[in-house]
Structure formats: C-alpha cells, structure tokens
Amino acid sequence: MGKIIALANQKGGVGKTTTTINLAASLATLEKTVLVIDADPQANASSGLGVDIKEVDCSLYECIIDHADIKDAIYTTDIEGLDIVPSHIDLVGAEIEMLKINGREKVMSDLLASVRDDYDYILIDCSPSLGLITVNALTAADSVIIPVQCEYFALEGISKLLNTIKIIKSKLNPKLEIEGFLLTMYDSRLRLARQIYDEVKRHFQELVFKAVIQRNVKLSESPSHGLPVILYDADSTGAKNHLCLAKEIIEKNKESR
C-alpha cells in the first residue's frame, strides 16, 4: 500500500511546489512509483512536470466536484514511474461548492483509496492556505512534510499549521504524523540561515530532515522548462539535495514498516 505524504505550509513561497516536483522525480529515479496530486489552484506542480493545463480534460476539480474517476485524471510525465493528477484554476471555487457535500473533509481520502495500491508514494502539493482543500489533503495523508524557508519569519505561522495538524489528528485522521521539517532556500554563506537551521533543529530535533535544500539557480530555472531539476541538470546542487531527501525518506519508511 502506498504512503500518502502532503506537503503543507500556509506561508507562501517556502518551496512546497518545488519540493513536491523534485522529490517526486527523485523518488521515481530511485525506482519508486509516484503519483503527484496537484491540490493548488495555481497548478504550478502540473506545469512544472510538463503538463499543458489548457489540454487537460479531467483535473482534480472534476474528481472532487463532478465525481469523475480519478484514474481518468492521471497523466504521465517525462519520468518513468511518475504520474500526476493536475490542478485547475476552478479549484479556487471548489471549497465553496464542497460546503454542500456530506463528509466534505474526506472527499480526497475517498478519491485516493482506489489508486493507493498502484503507487509507492502519493505526494499532495497543498496550496498556501489552511482551507478545506488543504484539510482534505491532511485528512487523506499518512504524514506531512513541512518546508521551512531559511529566512527571518520562517517560524512564524508554523504554530498555526501545527495546531491545524493537531485538530485534524484528533477529529479526522488519527494516523497523521509529521514526516519532517525540510529547510529550503538555504544559503550557508548567510549567518541568518545557519541561525534559522539551529533554531528549527532545537525546536523539532529529530523531526528535521538531514537533507537541506540549498539556494540554486538551476532549481529556479527548471520549472520554466517544464522539467524537474534532475532532468534539467542532474549534476546541480538542487538535484543532489532532492536525491538526498528522497533517499532519507525511503530509508526512514523502510525502518517504520
């Protein structure tokens, strides 16, 4: 049975989508089967994996609102073993439309049940909010990765997210765990970045991934080519960082199974 991991942080610009795309590609490179669920209306994970949004007939929106079969919404990518359920701008309005659905917090969980056995990992890229779609993602997930940007306001808002996780754990999804805190946009030349790293490590100890995602030009360039960085430049720091993260997650889950 595949493991479902949500990538969440209601703070924007922390590297959620970049991590989702490149972690998924790295896991697939390490011969794992991976499905990305793009649960962000901006659909950046979809375009970052080479999906032309204008050509998409069936997206996550149709699955949630029109009860389309999720298998009809799965698109392949340039990496063998890596598939994606793309997003659509209509997902913005889905939260309001979902208010009339019974068990609205568990729609995504029910959707993923039918494809869970087909993949080793299912990664959900959440939008930068704690709205109903993100609640759905956290209710469907086994664990959550929290990307933390190495900058001054990094820890601001994390308590709010941790509180949401706690509520979801107690009311909707008792099995939800924190997979880890991931430090992103790390620049070892800056004293501030090192201070943030130390502070996050002090707070969350063994929950902080050893892998750190450094600031990297190739990592920033690759989405505009519709490619994960491992296909764009396999020797880049960004590609190596994400491979380390993928190996760490595989290793961690080997121990826990």
Side-chain angles (χ1 to χ4, degrees), residues 21-252:
I21 291 169
N22 293 295
L23 172 57
S26 299
L27 286 166
T29 303
L30 295 167
E31 299 183 341
K32 299 292 176 189
T33 51
V34 188
L35 176 66
V36 170
I37 306 291
D38 190 350
D40 184 347
Q42 293 176 70
N44 291 336
S46 306
S47 55
L49 283 172
V51 174
D52 184 350
I53 309 301
K54 295 189 285 295
E55 302 289 312
V56 169
D57 297 321
C58 186
S59 69
L60 183 62
Y61 174 82
E62 281 76 22
C63 295
I64 290 174
I65 302 301
D66 302 334
H67 311 294
D69 186 339
I70 190 164
K71 290 181 178 170
D72 294 335
I74 293 175
Y75 290 74
T76 55
T77 69
D78 289 340
I79 292 186
E80 195 182 337
L82 173 54
D83 296 340
I84 182 166
V85 172
S87 183
H88 193 277
I89 191 67
D90 288 351
L91 207 57
V92 170
E95 303 209 340
I96 293 163
E97 294 179 66
M98 286 168 81
L99 293 175
K100 57 181 185 281
I101 300 174
N102 281 335
R104 63 184 79 92
E105 298 89 355
K106 299 199 168 176
V107 175
M108 201 180 293
S109 184
D110 295 341
L111 268 181
L112 297 182
S114 64
V115 292
R116 189 175 184 143
D117 292 342
D118 302 340
Y119 296 93
D120 295 315
Y121 292 94
I122 296 177
L123 303 183
I124 309 174
D125 182 30
C126 298
S127 67
S129 81
L130 292 177
L132 192 48
I133 301 277
T134 299
V135 167
N136 258 269
L138 294 172
T139 304
D142 299 304
S143 66
V144 54
I145 290 174
I146 302 170
V148 180
Q149 189 180 355
C150 288
E151 50 124 88
Y152 186 66
F153 294 114
L155 295 175
E156 207 175 75
I158 284 185
S159 57
K160 206 172 183 181
L161 176 61
L162 293 178
N163 197 38
T164 303
I165 291 169
K166 202 164 134 191
I167 293 165
I168 286 170
K169 205 172 155 73
S170 67
K171 300 216 174 356
L172 295 164
N173 181 6
K175 70 181 190 305
L176 184 64
E177 298 295 339
I178 291 174
E179 188 76 25
F181 290 85
L182 175 70
L183 284 136
T184 61
M185 306 180 201
Y186 182 78
D187 187 341
S188 56
R189 296 166 304 179
L190 300 178
R191 197 168 74 205
L192 178 65
R194 294 197 298 275
Q195 285 171 344
I196 300 285
Y197 180 86
D198 292 341
E199 196 175 340
V200 174
K201 195 84 179 141
R202 196 177 73 245
H203 272 279
F204 304 112
Q205 294 158 1
E206 74 284 351
L207 281 176
V208 181
F209 286 111
K210 292 185 187 76
V212 171
I213 310 303
Q214 292 164 270
R215 278 198 183 276
N216 179 240
V217 175
K218 299 290 183 194
L219 197 54
S220 308
E221 288 174 355
S222 60
S224 63
H225 296 269
L227 292 170
V229 72
I230 205 158
L231 285 188
Y232 183 62
D233 185 349
D235 291 326
S236 65
T237 306
K240 288 172 184 166
N241 290 165
H242 284 95
L243 263 177
C244 287
L245 174 64
K247 285 174 184 166
E248 198 175 333
I249 288 170
I250 291 168
E251 205 51 49
K252 188 176 176 183

